[in-house]
Amino acid sequence: MEQKTILKNIKLNDILTEGQQLRYAIDDEGIIELAMSITSKGLLEPIVVQPCDDGRFQLLAGSRRLMAFKRLKRKTIPAVIRKEDGTPIKTLALIENVVRRDMNLAEEVEAVNHLYDVEKQSPAMISDTTGKSRRWVDQRLAIPHLHKEVADELLDGRITLRHAEIINAIEAENLRSLLLNNVMQQRLTARQTKELAKIYQDTPSMEGAIEAGLKTANEISQTQTPTRKCDHCGEVRPLSKIILVAVCGDGCAQPQLEEGVKDNGNGARGKV
């Protein structure tokens, strides 16, 4: 059934938030920034509500916008009023929030899995109703089935989805944990993570895999540190340990440079 919508200003006091877990307080930094934006530019997108039998309205989407209006002590807010079509309020709220990107990754995972497990929507149906790609939906359906330590770091934002997919493919728990730690500590790219994972998987013995992996991780770490060869002693040192000397271009300091630059206090020498 096609839904009918109406746009109008409604009172904040008439808005119910049942089925909508408000994830923000009016003093949150993001809400303050949004309130300032609304003050200067106005509300760019109305909230979405559904009428109740008692004349009030159920919030479907726009919890952050609602909280920003409350912080500004506004009495009314522009809202799209969506007529009831028999779809459960929680389902409508989840779909609206996913469509409008009003969720973080953990909340997206919860929403998509609710639609799949409780509402019995197929991945294709979820893709159609939310406007997201099938891969987007499949990734969020898969996250609860990742190894726990991988899923936890992913949902906390310390690794990306691509990192999680690569790390999760390592079956040996100790190697998987080692790779996960290397990724977070050294901030490895997905490509570097894939290379390190391949070394773990291709090495026959557990001890050999750990040794080879640590060596590669160390090499990656060293290549990520900017270095320069000292012009005086020829030793390659981290750039932070090299002193750069500014001289006149007409050669006034040439004799001193030819003798080399003295130790700068950090054990490094250099010249330009």
Side-chain angles (χ1 to χ4, degrees), residues 20 60-62 93-103:
Q20 277 272 338
L60 297 182
L94 292 175
I95 293 173
E96 289 288 347
N97 282 327
V98 168
V99 170
R100 295 173 187 274
R101 300 182 181 180
D102 202 17
M103 291 180 165

Side-chain angles (χ1 to χ4, degrees), residues 150-164:
V150 178
D152 288 345
E153 301 300 345
L154 171 61
L155 295 177
D156 283 342
R158 287 189 280 268
I159 60 175
T160 68
L161 273 168
R162 182 59 184 143
H163 284 108

Side-chain angles (χ1 to χ4, degrees), residues 6-8 12 22 50 67 76 82 141 153-154 256:
I6 301 172
L7 177 62
K8 65 179 294 188
L12 268 63
L22 292 183
Q50 181 174 288
M67 295 301 290
T76 63
R82 175 166 292 179
L141 287 174
E153 301 300 345
L154 171 61
Q256 292 89 335

Side-chain angles (χ1 to χ4, degrees), residues 113-154:
N113 281 272
H114 176 88
L115 295 175
Y116 182 77
D117 294 328
V118 179
E119 301 301 331
K120 305 303 179 184
Q121 292 191 18
S122 67
M125 291 174 62
I126 297 173
S127 177
D128 289 341
T129 56
T130 61
K132 303 294 184 180
S133 69
R134 178 61 184 271
R135 174 170 171 76
W136 187 95
V137 173
D138 289 341
Q139 285 177 327
R140 282 147 184 80
L141 287 174
I143 287 175
H145 305 289
L146 296 175
H147 294 290
K148 185 178 185 305
E149 70 274 18
V150 178
D152 288 345
E153 301 300 345
L154 171 61

Side-chain angles (χ1 to χ4, degrees), residues 4-10 46-47 49 78-83:
K4 296 180 179 180
T5 59
I6 301 172
L7 177 62
K8 65 179 294 188
N9 286 322
I10 61 175
I47 64 171
V49 298
V80 172
I81 302 174
R82 175 166 292 179
K83 299 292 185 177

Side-chain angles (χ1 to χ4, degrees), residues 177-192:
S177 297
L178 184 62
L179 179 58
L180 179 60
N181 289 333
N182 282 330
V183 169
M184 293 190 296
Q185 291 174 4
Q186 300 183 41
R187 299 181 180 180
L188 302 183
T189 65
R191 180 184 61 79
Q192 291 170 332

